[in-house]
Every structure is written in C-alpha cells, then in structure tokens.
Coordinates of all heavy atoms in Angstrom, one line a residue:
H1421 N 52.7 73.7 76.5 CA 52.2 73.9 75.1 C 52.0 75.4 74.9 O 51.5 76.1 75.7 CB 50.8 73.2 75.0 CG 50.2 73.3 73.7 ND1 50.7 72.8 72.5 CD2 49.1 74.0 73.3 CE1 50.0 73.1 71.5 NE2 48.9 73.8 71.9
E1422 N 52.5 75.9 73.7 CA 52.4 77.3 73.3 C 53.0 78.2 74.4 O 52.4 79.3 74.7 CB 50.9 77.7 73.0 CG 50.4 76.9 71.8 CD 49.0 77.2 71.4 OE1 48.4 78.1 72.0 OE2 48.5 76.6 70.4
N1423 N 54.1 77.8 75.0 CA 54.8 78.6 76.0 C 55.5 79.9 75.5 O 55.7 80.8 76.2 CB 55.7 77.8 76.9 CG 56.7 77.0 76.1 OD1 56.7 77.0 74.9 ND2 57.5 76.3 76.8
L1424 N 55.8 79.9 74.2 CA 56.4 81.1 73.6 C 55.4 82.0 73.0 O 55.6 83.3 73.1 CB 57.4 80.7 72.4 CG 58.7 80.1 72.8 CD1 59.4 79.4 71.7 CD2 59.6 81.2 73.4
A1425 N 54.3 81.5 72.5 CA 53.3 82.3 71.9 C 52.0 81.5 71.8 O 52.0 80.4 71.3 CB 53.6 82.9 70.5
S1426 N 50.9 82.1 72.3 CA 49.6 81.3 72.3 C 48.6 82.1 71.6 O 47.8 82.9 72.2 CB 49.2 81.1 73.8 OG 48.0 80.3 73.8
N1427 N 48.6 82.0 70.2 CA 47.6 82.6 69.4 C 47.6 84.1 69.5 O 46.6 84.8 69.7 CB 46.2 82.1 69.6 CG 45.3 82.3 68.4 OD1 45.7 82.3 67.3 ND2 44.0 82.4 68.7
V1428 N 48.8 84.7 69.4 CA 49.1 86.1 69.5 C 49.6 86.7 68.2 O 50.0 86.0 67.3 CB 50.0 86.5 70.7 CG1 49.5 86.0 72.0 CG2 51.4 85.9 70.4
T1429 N 49.7 88.0 68.1 CA 50.3 88.7 67.0 C 51.7 89.2 67.5 O 51.8 89.8 68.6 CB 49.5 89.9 66.6 OG1 48.2 89.5 66.1 CG2 50.2 90.7 65.5
I1430 N 52.7 88.9 66.7 CA 54.0 89.4 67.0 C 54.3 90.4 65.9 O 54.5 90.0 64.7 CB 55.1 88.3 67.0 CG1 54.8 87.3 68.1 CG2 56.5 88.9 67.3 CD1 55.7 86.1 68.2
N1431 N 54.3 91.7 66.2 CA 54.5 92.7 65.3 C 56.0 92.7 64.7 O 56.9 92.2 65.3 CB 54.2 94.1 65.9 CG 52.8 94.2 66.2 OD1 51.9 93.8 65.5 ND2 52.5 94.8 67.4
S1432 N 56.1 93.4 63.6 CA 57.4 93.5 63.0 C 58.5 94.0 64.0 O 58.3 95.0 64.7 CB 57.3 94.6 61.8 OG 58.6 94.8 61.3
G1433 N 59.6 93.2 64.1 CA 60.7 93.6 65.0 C 60.4 93.3 66.4 O 61.3 93.5 67.3
S1434 N 59.2 92.7 66.8 CA 58.9 92.4 68.2 C 59.2 91.0 68.6 O 59.6 90.2 67.7 CB 57.4 92.7 68.4 OG 57.2 94.1 68.2
Y1435 N 59.0 90.7 69.9 CA 59.4 89.5 70.5 C 58.2 88.7 71.0 O 57.2 89.2 71.3 CB 60.3 89.7 71.7 CG 61.5 90.6 71.4 CD1 61.4 92.0 71.7 CD2 62.6 90.1 70.7 CE1 62.5 92.8 71.4 CE2 63.7 91.0 70.4 CZ 63.6 92.3 70.7 OH 64.7 93.1 70.4
S1436 N 58.5 87.4 71.1 CA 57.5 86.5 71.7 C 57.7 86.6 73.3 O 58.5 87.3 73.7 CB 57.8 85.0 71.3 OG 59.0 84.6 71.9
S1437 N 57.0 85.7 74.0 CA 57.3 85.6 75.4 C 58.6 85.0 75.6 O 59.2 84.3 74.7 CB 56.2 84.7 76.0 OG 54.9 85.3 75.9
V1438 N 59.2 85.1 76.8 CA 60.5 84.6 77.1 C 60.2 83.3 77.9 O 59.4 83.2 78.8 CB 61.3 85.5 78.0 CG1 62.6 84.9 78.5 CG2 61.7 86.8 77.2
V1439 N 60.9 82.2 77.6 CA 60.8 80.9 78.3 C 62.1 80.6 79.0 O 63.2 80.7 78.4 CB 60.4 79.8 77.3 CG1 60.5 78.4 78.0 CG2 59.0 80.1 76.7
N1440 N 62.0 80.2 80.2 CA 63.2 79.8 81.0 C 63.6 78.4 80.5 O 62.8 77.4 80.6 CB 62.9 79.7 82.5 CG 64.0 79.3 83.3 OD1 64.9 78.6 82.9 ND2 64.0 79.8 84.6
I1441 N 64.8 78.3 80.0 CA 65.3 77.0 79.4 C 66.5 76.5 80.2 O 67.2 75.6 79.8 CB 65.7 77.1 77.9 CG1 66.7 78.2 77.7 CG2 64.4 77.4 77.1 CD1 67.3 78.3 76.4
A1442 N 66.7 77.0 81.4 CA 67.9 76.7 82.2 C 67.9 75.2 82.5 O 69.0 74.6 82.7 CB 67.8 77.5 83.5
D1443 N 66.8 74.5 82.6 CA 66.8 73.0 82.9 C 66.8 72.1 81.7 O 66.6 70.9 81.8 CB 65.6 72.7 83.8 CG 65.7 73.3 85.2 OD1 66.9 73.5 85.7 OD2 64.7 73.6 85.8
M1444 N 66.9 72.8 80.5 CA 66.9 72.0 79.2 C 68.3 71.9 78.7 O 69.0 72.9 78.6 CB 66.0 72.7 78.2 CG 64.6 72.8 78.6 SD 63.7 73.6 77.2 CE 62.2 74.0 78.0
N1445 N 68.7 70.7 78.3 CA 70.0 70.5 77.6 C 69.8 70.4 76.1 O 70.6 70.9 75.4 CB 70.7 69.2 78.1 CG 71.3 69.4 79.5 OD1 71.8 70.5 79.8 ND2 71.3 68.3 80.3
V1446 N 68.7 69.7 75.7 CA 68.4 69.6 74.3 C 66.9 70.0 74.2 O 66.1 69.6 75.0 CB 68.5 68.1 73.9 CG1 68.1 68.0 72.4 CG2 70.0 67.7 74.0
G1447 N 66.6 70.8 73.2 CA 65.2 71.3 73.0 C 64.7 71.2 71.6 O 65.4 71.0 70.7
N1448 N 63.4 71.2 71.5 CA 62.7 71.2 70.2 C 61.7 72.4 70.2 O 61.0 72.6 71.2 CB 61.9 69.9 70.1 CG 62.8 68.7 70.1 OD1 63.7 68.5 69.3 ND2 62.7 67.9 71.1
L1449 N 61.6 73.1 69.1 CA 60.8 74.2 68.9 C 59.8 74.0 67.8 O 60.3 73.5 66.7 CB 61.7 75.5 68.7 CG 60.9 76.8 68.7 CD1 61.8 77.9 69.4 CD2 60.6 77.2 67.3
F1450 N 58.6 74.4 68.0 CA 57.5 74.3 67.0 C 56.9 75.6 66.8 O 56.6 76.3 67.8 CB 56.5 73.2 67.4 CG 57.2 71.9 67.6 CD1 57.6 71.5 68.9 CD2 57.4 71.0 66.5 CE1 58.3 70.3 69.1 CE2 58.1 69.8 66.7 CZ 58.5 69.4 68.0
Y1451 N 56.6 76.0 65.5 CA 56.1 77.4 65.3 C 55.1 77.3 64.2 O 55.2 76.6 63.2 CB 57.3 78.2 64.8 CG 56.9 79.6 64.4 CD1 56.9 80.7 65.3 CD2 56.5 79.9 63.1 CE1 56.5 81.9 64.9 CE2 56.1 81.2 62.7 CZ 56.1 82.2 63.6 OH 55.7 83.5 63.3
E1452 N 54.1 78.2 64.3 CA 53.0 78.4 63.4 C 52.5 79.8 63.4 O 52.4 80.4 64.4 CB 51.8 77.4 63.7 CG 50.6 77.6 62.8 CD 49.5 76.7 63.3 OE1 49.7 75.5 63.3 OE2 48.4 77.2 63.6
D1453 N 52.2 80.4 62.2 CA 51.5 81.7 62.1 C 50.6 81.6 60.9 O 50.6 80.7 60.1 CB 52.5 82.9 62.1 CG 53.3 83.0 60.8 OD1 52.8 82.8 59.7 OD2 54.4 83.4 60.9
S1454 N 49.8 82.7 60.7 CA 48.8 82.7 59.6 C 49.2 83.7 58.5 O 48.4 84.0 57.6 CB 47.4 83.0 60.1 OG 47.4 84.3 60.7
E1455 N 50.4 84.2 58.4 CA 50.9 85.1 57.4 C 51.4 84.4 56.2 O 52.6 84.5 55.9 CB 51.9 86.1 58.0 CG 51.4 86.9 59.1 CD 50.1 87.7 58.8 OE1 50.0 88.3 57.8 OE2 49.1 87.5 59.6
T1456 N 50.5 83.7 55.5 CA 51.0 82.9 54.3 C 51.5 83.7 53.2 O 52.2 83.2 52.3 CB 49.8 82.0 53.8 OG1 48.7 82.9 53.5 CG2 49.4 81.0 54.9
A1457 N 51.3 85.0 53.1 CA 51.9 85.9 52.1 C 53.3 86.3 52.4 O 54.0 86.9 51.5 CB 51.0 87.1 51.8
S1458 N 53.8 86.1 53.6 CA 55.1 86.5 54.0 C 56.1 85.5 53.8 O 55.9 84.3 53.9 CB 55.1 86.9 55.5 OG 56.4 87.3 55.9
Y1459 N 57.3 85.9 53.3 CA 58.4 85.0 53.1 C 59.6 85.3 54.1 O 60.7 84.8 53.9 CB 58.9 85.1 51.7 CG 57.9 84.6 50.7 CD1 57.1 85.5 50.0 CD2 57.7 83.3 50.5 CE1 56.1 85.1 49.1 CE2 56.8 82.8 49.6 CZ 56.0 83.7 48.9 OH 55.0 83.3 48.0
D1460 N 59.3 86.1 55.1 CA 60.3 86.5 56.1 C 60.5 85.5 57.1 O 59.7 84.6 57.3 CB 59.9 87.9 56.7 CG 60.0 89.0 55.7 OD1 60.9 89.0 54.9 OD2 59.1 89.9 55.7
T1461 N 61.6 85.6 57.9 CA 62.0 84.6 58.8 C 61.7 85.0 60.3 O 61.3 86.1 60.6 CB 63.5 84.3 58.7 OG1 64.2 85.5 58.9 CG2 63.8 83.8 57.3
V1462 N 62.1 84.1 61.2 CA 62.0 84.3 62.6 C 63.3 83.9 63.2 O 63.9 82.9 62.9 CB 60.8 83.4 63.2 CG1 60.8 83.6 64.7 CG2 59.5 83.7 62.6
N1463 N 63.8 84.8 64.1 CA 65.1 84.5 64.8 C 64.7 83.8 66.1 O 63.8 84.2 66.8 CB 65.9 85.7 65.1 CG 66.7 86.2 63.9 OD1 66.8 85.5 62.9 ND2 67.3 87.4 64.1
I1464 N 65.5 82.8 66.5 CA 65.6 82.3 67.8 C 66.7 83.0 68.5 O 67.8 83.0 68.1 CB 65.8 80.8 67.8 CG1 64.7 80.0 67.1 CG2 65.9 80.3 69.3 CD1 64.9 78.5 66.9
E1465 N 66.4 83.7 69.6 CA 67.4 84.3 70.4 C 67.5 83.7 71.8 O 66.5 83.2 72.4 CB 67.1 85.8 70.6 CG 67.2 86.6 69.4 CD 67.1 88.1 69.6 OE1 66.6 88.5 70.7 OE2 67.5 88.9 68.7
V1466 N 68.7 83.6 72.4 CA 69.0 83.0 73.7 C 69.7 84.0 74.5 O 70.4 84.9 74.1 CB 69.7 81.7 73.5 CG1 68.9 80.7 72.8 CG2 71.0 81.9 72.8
S1467 N 69.6 83.8 75.8 CA 70.3 84.6 76.8 C 71.0 83.7 77.8 O 70.5 82.7 78.3 CB 69.3 85.5 77.5 OG 70.0 86.3 78.6
I1468 N 72.2 84.2 78.3 CA 72.9 83.4 79.3 C 72.7 84.1 80.7 O 73.0 83.5 81.7 CB 74.4 83.3 79.1 CG1 75.1 84.6 78.9 CG2 74.6 82.4 77.8 CD1 76.6 84.6 78.8
D1469 N 72.2 85.4 80.7 CA 72.0 86.1 81.9 C 70.6 86.7 82.1 O 70.4 87.3 83.1 CB 73.0 87.2 82.0 CG 72.9 88.3 80.9 OD1 71.9 88.2 80.1 OD2 73.7 89.2 80.8
G1470 N 69.7 86.4 81.2 CA 68.3 86.9 81.3 C 68.1 88.3 80.9 O 67.0 88.8 80.9
T1471 N 69.2 89.0 80.5 CA 69.1 90.4 80.0 C 69.6 90.6 78.6 O 69.0 91.2 77.8 CB 70.0 91.3 81.0 OG1 69.5 91.1 82.3 CG2 69.9 92.7 80.6
N1472 N 70.8 90.0 78.3 CA 71.4 90.2 77.0 C 71.0 89.0 76.1 O 71.3 87.9 76.5 CB 72.9 90.4 77.1 CG 73.3 91.6 77.9 OD1 73.0 92.7 77.6 ND2 73.8 91.3 79.1
Y1473 N 70.5 89.3 74.9 CA 70.1 88.2 74.0 C 71.0 88.2 72.7 O 71.5 89.2 72.3 CB 68.7 88.4 73.6 CG 67.7 87.9 74.7 CD1 67.4 88.8 75.7 CD2 67.2 86.7 74.7 CE1 66.6 88.4 76.7 CE2 66.4 86.2 75.7 CZ 66.0 87.1 76.7 OH 65.2 86.7 77.7
F1474 N 71.2 87.0 72.2 CA 72.0 86.7 71.1 C 71.3 85.8 70.1 O 70.5 84.9 70.5 CB 73.3 86.0 71.5 CG 74.1 86.8 72.5 CD1 74.0 86.5 73.8 CD2 75.0 87.7 72.1 CE1 74.7 87.2 74.8 CE2 75.7 88.5 73.1 CZ 75.6 88.2 74.4
K1475 N 71.5 86.1 68.8 CA 70.8 85.2 67.8 C 71.4 83.8 67.9 O 72.7 83.6 67.8 CB 71.1 85.8 66.4 CG 70.5 85.0 65.3 CD 70.7 85.6 63.9 CE 70.3 84.7 62.8 NZ 70.5 85.3 61.5
Y1476 N 70.6 82.8 68.1 CA 71.0 81.4 68.1 C 70.9 80.8 66.7 O 71.9 80.3 66.2 CB 70.1 80.6 69.0 CG 70.4 79.2 69.2 CD1 71.3 78.7 70.1 CD2 69.8 78.2 68.3 CE1 71.6 77.4 70.3 CE2 70.1 76.9 68.4 CZ 71.0 76.5 69.4 OH 71.3 75.1 69.5
T1477 N 69.8 81.0 66.0 CA 69.6 80.6 64.6 C 68.4 81.3 64.1 O 67.6 81.9 64.8 CB 69.5 79.0 64.5 OG1 69.6 78.6 63.2 CG2 68.2 78.5 65.1
E1478 N 68.1 81.1 62.8 CA 67.0 81.6 62.1 C 66.1 80.5 61.6 O 66.7 79.5 61.1 CB 67.5 82.4 60.9 CG 66.6 83.4 60.3 CD 67.4 84.4 59.3 OE1 68.6 84.1 59.0 OE2 66.8 85.3 58.9
I1479 N 64.8 80.6 61.7 CA 63.9 79.6 61.2 C 63.1 80.1 60.0 O 62.9 81.3 60.0 CB 63.0 79.0 62.3 CG1 62.2 80.1 63.1 CG2 63.8 78.1 63.3 CD1 61.3 79.6 64.1
Y1480 N 62.7 79.3 59.2 CA 62.1 79.6 57.9 C 60.7 79.0 57.8 O 60.6 77.9 57.2 CB 63.0 79.2 56.7 CG 64.4 79.8 56.8 CD1 65.4 79.1 57.5 CD2 64.6 80.9 56.1 CE1 66.6 79.7 57.6 CE2 65.9 81.5 56.1 CZ 66.9 80.8 56.9 OH 68.2 81.4 56.9
P1481 N 59.7 79.7 58.3 CA 58.3 79.1 58.1 C 57.9 79.0 56.6 O 58.2 79.9 55.9 CB 57.4 80.1 58.9 CG 58.3 80.9 59.7 CD 59.6 80.9 59.0
S1482 N 57.2 78.0 56.3 CA 56.7 77.8 54.9 C 55.2 77.5 55.0 O 54.8 76.9 55.9 CB 57.5 76.8 54.2 OG 57.4 75.5 54.8
Q1483 N 54.6 77.8 53.9 CA 53.1 77.6 53.8 C 52.8 76.1 53.9 O 53.3 75.3 53.2 CB 52.5 78.2 52.6 CG 51.0 78.2 52.6 CD 50.4 79.0 51.5 OE1 51.1 79.7 50.8 NE2 49.1 78.9 51.3
D1484 N 51.8 75.8 54.8 CA 51.2 74.5 54.9 C 49.7 74.7 55.1 O 49.2 74.8 56.2 CB 51.8 73.8 56.2 CG 51.4 72.4 56.4 OD1 50.7 71.9 55.5 OD2 51.6 71.9 57.5
G1485 N 49.0 74.7 53.9 CA 47.6 75.0 53.9 C 47.4 76.5 54.2 O 47.9 77.4 53.6
A1486 N 46.6 76.7 55.3 CA 46.2 78.1 55.6 C 47.2 78.7 56.6 O 46.9 79.8 57.1 CB 44.8 78.1 56.2
V1487 N 48.3 78.1 56.9 CA 49.2 78.6 57.9 C 50.7 78.4 57.4 O 50.9 77.7 56.4 CB 49.1 77.9 59.3 CG1 47.7 78.2 59.9 CG2 49.3 76.4 59.2
R1488 N 51.6 79.1 58.1 CA 53.0 78.8 57.8 C 53.5 78.1 59.1 O 53.2 78.4 60.2 CB 53.8 80.1 57.8 CG 53.5 81.0 56.6 CD 54.5 82.1 56.4 NE 54.9 82.8 57.7 CZ 56.0 83.5 57.8 NH1 56.9 83.6 56.8 NH2 56.3 84.0 59.0
T1489 N 54.3 77.0 58.9 CA 54.9 76.3 60.0 C 56.3 76.0 59.8 O 56.9 76.1 58.7 CB 54.1 74.9 60.1 OG1 54.4 74.1 58.9 CG2 52.6 75.1 60.3
T1490 N 57.0 75.7 60.9 CA 58.4 75.2 60.9 C 58.7 74.6 62.2 O 57.9 74.7 63.2 CB 59.4 76.4 60.6 OG1 60.7 75.8 60.3 CG2 59.5 77.4 61.7
K1491 N 59.8 73.9 62.3 CA 60.3 73.4 63.5 C 61.8 73.4 63.5 O 62.4 73.4 62.5 CB 59.8 71.9 63.7 CG 60.3 70.9 62.7 CD 59.7 69.6 63.0 CE 60.2 68.5 62.0 NZ 59.9 68.7 60.6
E1492 N 62.3 73.4 64.7 CA 63.8 73.3 64.9 C 64.0 72.3 66.0 O 63.6 72.5 67.1 CB 64.4 74.6 65.3 CG 65.9 74.7 65.3 CD 66.5 74.6 63.9 OE1 65.9 75.1 62.9 OE2 67.7 74.2 63.8
T1493 N 64.6 71.1 65.7 CA 64.8 70.1 66.7 C 66.3 69.9 67.0 O 67.1 70.3 66.2 CB 64.2 68.8 66.2 OG1 64.8 68.4 64.9 CG2 62.7 68.9 65.9
G1494 N 66.5 69.3 68.1 CA 67.9 69.1 68.5 C 68.7 70.3 68.9 O 69.9 70.4 68.8
L1495 N 68.0 71.4 69.4 CA 68.6 72.6 69.9 C 69.5 72.3 71.1 O 69.1 71.7 72.0 CB 67.6 73.6 70.3 CG 66.7 74.2 69.2 CD1 65.5 74.9 69.8 CD2 67.4 75.1 68.3
Q1496 N 70.8 72.7 71.0 CA 71.7 72.5 72.1 C 71.6 73.7 73.0 O 72.0 74.8 72.7 CB 73.1 72.3 71.5 CG 73.3 71.2 70.6 CD 73.0 69.8 71.3 OE1 73.6 69.6 72.4 NE2 72.1 69.0 70.7
L1497 N 71.0 73.5 74.2 CA 70.7 74.6 75.1 C 71.5 74.6 76.4 O 71.2 75.4 77.3 CB 69.2 74.5 75.4 CG 68.2 74.5 74.2 CD1 66.8 74.3 74.7 CD2 68.4 75.8 73.4
Q1498 N 72.5 73.8 76.5 CA 73.3 73.7 77.7 C 73.9 75.1 78.1 O 74.4 75.7 77.3 CB 74.5 72.7 77.6 CG 74.0 71.3 77.3 CD 73.9 71.0 75.8 OE1 73.8 71.9 75.0 NE2 74.1 69.7 75.5
G1499 N 73.7 75.4 79.4 CA 74.3 76.7 79.9 C 73.5 77.9 79.5 O 73.9 79.0 79.9
L1500 N 72.4 77.8 78.8 CA 71.6 79.0 78.4 C 70.4 79.1 79.4 O 70.0 78.2 80.0 CB 71.0 78.8 77.0 CG 72.1 78.7 75.9 CD1 71.5 78.3 74.6 CD2 72.9 79.9 75.8
K1501 N 70.0 80.4 79.6 CA 69.0 80.6 80.6 C 67.6 80.9 80.0 O 66.6 80.4 80.5 CB 69.4 81.9 81.4 CG 68.5 82.2 82.5 CD 69.0 83.3 83.4 CE 68.1 83.6 84.6 NZ 68.6 84.5 85.5
N1502 N 67.5 81.7 78.9 CA 66.2 82.1 78.4 C 66.2 81.9 76.9 O 67.3 82.0 76.2 CB 65.8 83.5 78.7 CG 65.5 83.7 80.2 OD1 65.8 82.8 81.0 ND2 65.0 84.8 80.6
L1503 N 65.0 81.8 76.3 CA 64.8 81.7 74.8 C 63.6 82.5 74.5 O 62.6 82.5 75.2 CB 64.7 80.3 74.4 CG 64.6 80.0 72.9 CD1 65.3 78.7 72.6 CD2 63.1 79.9 72.5
R1504 N 63.7 83.2 73.3 CA 62.6 84.0 72.8 C 62.6 84.0 71.3 O 63.7 83.6 70.7 CB 62.5 85.4 73.3 CG 63.6 86.3 72.8 CD 63.6 87.7 73.4 NE 64.7 88.5 72.8 CZ 65.0 89.7 73.3 NH1 64.3 90.2 74.3 NH2 66.0 90.4 72.7
L1505 N 61.6 84.4 70.6 CA 61.5 84.5 69.1 C 61.4 86.0 68.8 O 60.9 86.8 69.5 CB 60.3 83.8 68.6 CG 60.2 82.3 68.9 CD1 58.9 81.7 68.3 CD2 61.4 81.5 68.3
V1506 N 62.0 86.3 67.6 CA 61.9 87.7 67.1 C 61.3 87.7 65.7 O 61.8 86.9 64.8 CB 63.3 88.3 67.1 CG1 63.2 89.8 66.6 CG2 64.0 88.3 68.4
N1507 N 60.3 88.5 65.4 CA 59.8 88.7 64.1 C 60.8 89.4 63.3 O 61.1 90.6 63.5 CB 58.5 89.4 64.1 CG 57.9 89.7 62.8 OD1 58.6 89.6 61.8 ND2 56.6 90.1 62.8
N1508 N 61.4 88.8 62.3 CA 62.5 89.4 61.4 C 62.0 90.3 60.4 O 62.7 91.0 59.7 CB 63.3 88.3 60.7 CG 64.6 88.0 61.5 OD1 64.9 88.7 62.4 ND2 65.3 87.0 61.0
S1509 N 60.7 90.3 60.1 CA 60.1 91.1 59.0 C 60.2 92.6 59.3 O 60.0 93.0 60.4 CB 58.7 90.7 58.7 OG 58.2 91.5 57.7
S1510 N 60.5 93.3 58.2 CA 60.5 94.8 58.4 C 59.2 95.4 58.1 O 58.9 96.6 58.3 CB 61.6 95.4 57.4 OG 61.3 95.1 56.1
I1511 N 58.2 94.5 57.5 CA 56.9 95.1 57.2 C 55.7 94.2 57.7 O 54.6 94.7 57.9 CB 56.7 95.3 55.7 CG1 57.0 94.0 54.9 CG2 57.6 96.4 55.2 CD1 56.7 94.1 53.5
D1512 N 55.9 92.9 57.9 CA 54.8 92.0 58.2 C 54.7 91.8 59.7 O 55.6 91.5 60.4 CB 55.0 90.6 57.5 CG 54.9 90.7 56.0 OD1 54.1 91.5 55.5 OD2 55.7 90.0 55.3
N1513 N 53.4 91.9 60.2 CA 53.1 91.4 61.5 C 52.6 90.0 61.4 O 51.8 89.7 60.5 CB 52.0 92.3 62.1 CG 52.4 93.8 62.2 OD1 53.6 94.0 62.6 ND2 51.5 94.7 61.9
Y1514 N 53.1 89.1 62.3 CA 52.7 87.7 62.2 C 51.6 87.5 63.2 O 51.7 87.7 64.4 CB 53.9 86.8 62.6 CG 55.1 86.9 61.8 CD1 56.4 86.6 62.2 CD2 55.0 87.4 60.4 CE1 57.5 86.7 61.4 CE2 56.2 87.5 59.6 CZ 57.4 87.1 60.1 OH 58.5 87.2 59.4
S1515 N 50.4 87.1 62.6 CA 49.2 86.9 63.3 C 49.0 85.4 63.7 O 49.5 84.5 63.0 CB 48.0 87.3 62.5 OG 48.1 88.7 62.2
N1516 N 48.2 85.2 64.7 CA 47.8 83.8 65.2 C 49.1 83.0 65.4 O 49.1 81.8 65.0 CB 46.9 83.2 64.1 CG 45.7 84.0 63.9 OD1 45.6 84.6 62.8 ND2 44.8 84.2 64.8
V1517 N 50.1 83.6 66.0 CA 51.3 82.8 66.3 C 51.1 81.9 67.4 O 50.6 82.2 68.5 CB 52.5 83.8 66.6 CG1 53.8 83.0 67.0 CG2 52.7 84.8 65.5
K1518 N 51.5 80.6 67.2 CA 51.5 79.6 68.2 C 52.9 79.0 68.2 O 53.4 78.5 67.1 CB 50.5 78.5 67.9 CG 49.1 79.1 67.9 CD 48.1 78.0 67.4 CE 46.7 78.7 67.2 NZ 45.8 77.7 66.6
A1519 N 53.6 79.0 69.3 CA 55.0 78.5 69.3 C 55.3 77.9 70.7 O 54.8 78.4 71.7 CB 56.0 79.6 69.0
S1520 N 56.0 76.8 70.6 CA 56.4 76.0 71.9 C 57.8 75.6 71.8 O 58.3 75.3 70.7 CB 55.5 74.8 72.0 OG 54.1 75.1 72.0
V1521 N 58.5 75.7 72.9 CA 59.8 75.1 73.1 C 59.7 74.1 74.2 O 59.1 74.4 75.3 CB 60.9 76.1 73.3 CG1 60.7 76.9 74.6 CG2 62.3 75.4 73.2
V1522 N 60.2 72.9 74.0 CA 60.2 71.8 75.0 C 61.6 71.2 75.0 O 62.3 71.2 74.0 CB 59.1 70.7 74.7 CG1 57.7 71.3 74.9 CG2 59.3 70.1 73.4
G1523 N 61.9 70.6 76.1 CA 63.3 69.9 76.2 C 63.4 69.0 77.3 O 62.5 68.8 78.1
S1524 N 64.6 68.5 77.4 CA 64.9 67.6 78.6 C 66.3 67.8 79.1 O 67.2 68.4 78.4 CB 64.8 66.1 78.1 OG 65.8 65.9 77.1
A1525 N 66.6 67.4 80.3 CA 67.9 67.6 80.9 C 68.9 66.6 80.4 O 68.6 65.7 79.7 CB 67.7 67.4 82.4

C-alpha cells in the first residue's frame, strides 16, 4: 500500500519512489493528491535496467471532492524492472500524494 508515494509532496518535475516490478506481468496503479486547482498530468515511467527510464503512459487526475484521483489498470509490465511517477507540471507541486502499484505474475 502506497509503495510509490505515502502522503508526500512531489515537486514540479520530480519523481516518486521507485518500485521494483520485475515480478509483475500485469499491474494496477492508483493515485491521489490534494492539488485540486491543478490540471496537469503525471507520467508513469518504466525502466528495463534500473537506470534509464522511459515514458510508459500519462495519467490524468481529476477532482473528486477535496482530492484529485486517477487509476490505470491492466498495465502490461512483462520484462520491465522498475516503475516511478513524474510530476509533469511546470509550476505545481503535488501535495499529499498517495500512490500504489500492485500486480501479479
């Protein structure tokens, strides 16, 4: 639970924690932050070697009460080693970020 981010701030252009996804074939990602005035996105980045990261997809949090939330299900993770999130905003810092990635072999 909250293995990518556990109630932290991810500053503009910064990254979440890195999660080892080597044993996951299919994954599900859940995301929440408290920046309800922001319309910017979050990138999911993956690595095959633990050093070089590539954009996998972009997620679009939307306001849900006092927070922004989104999810990405059915991620195809075969052959990938690590996953992290990137704050795409050029001006907004995302506060109270809670994010998890889970999966199965």
Side-chain angles (χ1 to χ4, degrees):
H1421 181 68
E1422 297 179 1
N1423 53 358
L1424 285 166
S1426 183
N1427 203 30
V1428 298
T1429 297
I1430 301 177
N1431 293 321
S1432 173
S1434 295
Y1435 308 98
S1436 70
S1437 296
V1438 172
V1439 173
N1440 181 333
I1441 56 169
D1443 293 331
M1444 297 181 196
N1445 286 325
V1446 178
N1448 299 297
L1449 186 141
F1450 302 92
Y1451 177 90
E1452 173 183 302
D1453 70 37
S1454 61
E1455 296 309 308
T1456 57
S1458 179
Y1459 295 98
D1460 292 321
T1461 60
V1462 177
N1463 278 352
I1464 298 173
E1465 289 189 344
V1466 294
S1467 174
I1468 58 173
D1469 62 6
T1471 302
N1472 300 295
Y1473 283 83
F1474 304 93
K1475 180 179 172 182
Y1476 181 91
T1477 193
E1478 198 168 8
I1479 53 177
Y1480 302 86
S1482 59
Q1483 188 170 352
D1484 183 10
V1487 295
R1488 294 189 320 157
T1489 63
T1490 191
K1491 65 182 182 295
E1492 187 72 27
T1493 59
L1495 295 165
Q1496 299 299 307
L1497 303 174
Q1498 300 91 336
L1500 300 172
K1501 184 173 183 174
N1502 292 14
L1503 183 144
R1504 68 184 182 187
L1505 301 176
V1506 182
N1507 176 344
N1508 262 354
S1509 179
S1510 60
I1511 56 171
D1512 293 325
N1513 297 321
Y1514 300 157
S1515 300
N1516 307 109
V1517 178
K1518 299 173 186 173
S1520 302
V1521 61
V1522 296
S1524 64

